[in-house]
Amino acid sequence: MRRCFQLFWLFLANGYLFFLKDSKIYQGPIKGICVPFLNCYSCPAAVASCPIGALQHFLSRIRPSLKVGIYQFGLFVIGGIGLIGILVGRMVCGWACPFGLLQEMLYKIPSPKFHLPPFLRFIKYGVLIFFVFLLPILIVDKMGYGQSWFCRYLCPVGTLEAGIPALFLFPSLRRQIGLLFFNKVFILSVLLVMMVLFKRPFCRLLCPLGAFYGLFNHVSLVQMEVDKNRCTKCNLCYEKCPMGIKIYEGPNQVDCIRCLICRDVCPFQAISLRMSLGNSHKGGRLGTCRN
Amino acid sequence: MKLNKIRIGLIFFFLFLIILGINLGEIREIIKKGTQICLSCIGIR
């Protein structure tokens, strides 16, 4: 069921296949909408925009825009991802993100598996604060324009979906690649290897959008719930969790992507998903059907 | 009940931001940005 959703979103966000015929990226009005996950809008097949890319674009041009009386701060993007955050929290990461799907697929490759040290998860908050918000605003050129720091220096999704395909699609670009491109290919390569060895390394270490959504996990309408009377802390959920968290230590902790694998593997049916617009004793339970 | 109010407040706040962003012409700007390949964004140069 979850795989179907992930594939649906993958093809919905990257459904423009005419690029194969006319060698152009999609240029229609749907590009004005941001998908709720990382999906590079320079990808030849992308039909919508990336929220993190769009946000950085607005922040990097705040100073020159204000000088000419244009008041655009990325409110549309912040409002959009904030609304999704308050509705479902980080559920998007588990049910929609194509890069999350890739990470789960690569982790299935048989190999020795390792655990990531928990403190490393704080890196993504640094990425969100510095690379997405502060650096595009603070470090500017003579004209007052900043850069999209996350896209330019870090984002492996952009390299995979846009950078590498663009080299095949537009051969003239091959002459322009330099150190920056090799840096990004190196980051992507390291992450691809890590995806085989670790569970969802990009989501847990670097993803700024996941960091943002995770902040809403405690207050979102969709809530995870663990019945402490039924839970025996057998750790079956921990072993299967793609984010490597112990849900019984806190059902709505910031790294939970609400993929519901824990609910499905729990032999005691101690874990459930609840839709709530009230206190913890109200609201209907969701996802009790295990099909 | 307090959490309920926070949730509803946040939902309306973010809806307000979306509407404000649309009125400020942000969708047009995203289309403008998104319909061209950004070479520096994808790390080509």
Side-chain angles (χ1 to χ4, degrees), chain A residues 19-37:
Chain A
F19 78 88
L20 294 167
K21 191 178 141 202
D22 52 16
S23 293
K24 280 181 185 170
I25 65 170
Y26 172 70
Q27 298 182 325
I30 309 174
K31 269 278 170 78
I33 299 168
C34 294
V35 286
F37 41 78

Side-chain angles (χ1 to χ4, degrees), chain A residues 31 57 76 151 176 219 277, chain B residues 4 7 26 29 34 41 45:
Chain A
K31 269 278 170 78
H57 172 66
F76 175 69
C151 298
Q176 299 182 42
V219 292
L277 237 182
Chain B
N4 209 6
R7 282 172 182 150
E26 290 187 355
E29 184 58 34
C41 294
R45 67 175 178 204

Side-chain angles (χ1 to χ4, degrees), chain A residues 171-183:
Chain A
S172 60
L173 291 178
R174 291 177 199 165
R175 289 194 298 273
Q176 299 182 42
I177 60 172
L179 199 60
L180 184 65
F181 183 72
F182 291 115
N183 167 57

Side-chain angles (χ1 to χ4, degrees), chain A residues 27 29 31-32 41-42 49 57-58 61 71-76 79-80 82 86 151-152 162 170 173 176-177 180-181 184 219-221 276-278, chain B residues 1 3-4 6-8 10-11 14-15 17-18 20-22 24-27 29-45:
Chain A
Q27 298 182 325
K31 269 278 170 78
Y41 47 21
S42 291
S49 294
H57 172 66
F58 284 114
R61 58 196 286 281
Y71 301 99
Q72 293 176 337
F73 311 105
L75 300 180
F76 175 69
I86 194 66
C151 298
R152 189 176 164 91
F170 312 108
L173 291 178
Q176 299 182 42
I177 60 172
L180 184 65
F181 183 72
K184 288 198 69 177
V219 292
S220 64
L221 292 188
S276 170
L277 237 182
Chain B
M1 211 51 200
L3 191 59
N4 209 6
I6 292 172
R7 282 172 182 150
I8 293 172
L10 281 172
I11 287 172
F14 288 126
L15 280 173
L17 288 188
I18 291 172
L20 194 60
I22 292 170
L24 289 170
E26 290 187 355
I27 290 186
E29 184 58 34
I30 296 173
I31 292 174
K32 210 161 76 181
K33 168 76 177 170
T35 49
Q36 54 200 347
I37 292 182
C38 173
L39 294 181
S40 69
C41 294
I42 60 177
I44 298 289
R45 67 175 178 204

Side-chain angles (χ1 to χ4, degrees), chain A residues 12-126:
Chain A
L12 191 71
N14 298 290
Y16 183 74
L17 298 178
F18 291 105
F19 78 88
L20 294 167
K21 191 178 141 202
D22 52 16
S23 293
K24 280 181 185 170
I25 65 170
Y26 172 70
Q27 298 182 325
I30 309 174
K31 269 278 170 78
I33 299 168
C34 294
V35 286
F37 41 78
L38 291 186
N39 195 75
C40 189
Y41 47 21
S42 291
C43 169
V47 292
S49 294
C50 172
I52 293 294
L55 185 58
Q56 288 172 93
H57 172 66
F58 284 114
L59 297 178
S60 65
R61 58 196 286 281
I62 271 186
R63 295 185 196 198
S65 296
L66 287 176
K67 274 183 192 168
V68 294
I70 297 172
Y71 301 99
Q72 293 176 337
F73 311 105
L75 300 180
F76 175 69
V77 183
I78 295 173
I81 57 177
L83 189 64
I84 288 163
I86 194 66
L87 292 176
V88 296
R90 233 186 136 169
M91 201 170 194
V92 173
C93 307
W95 287 75
C97 181
F99 208 61
L101 174 66
L102 174 72
Q103 291 175 84
E104 288 180 7
M105 292 293 110
L106 288 181
Y107 190 72
K108 287 182 187 290
I109 295 173
S111 75
K113 305 295 179 189
F114 302 95
H115 289 284
L116 282 170
F119 66 89
L120 291 178
R121 68 176 189 268
F122 294 109
I123 294 174
K124 60 180 175 289
Y125 297 101

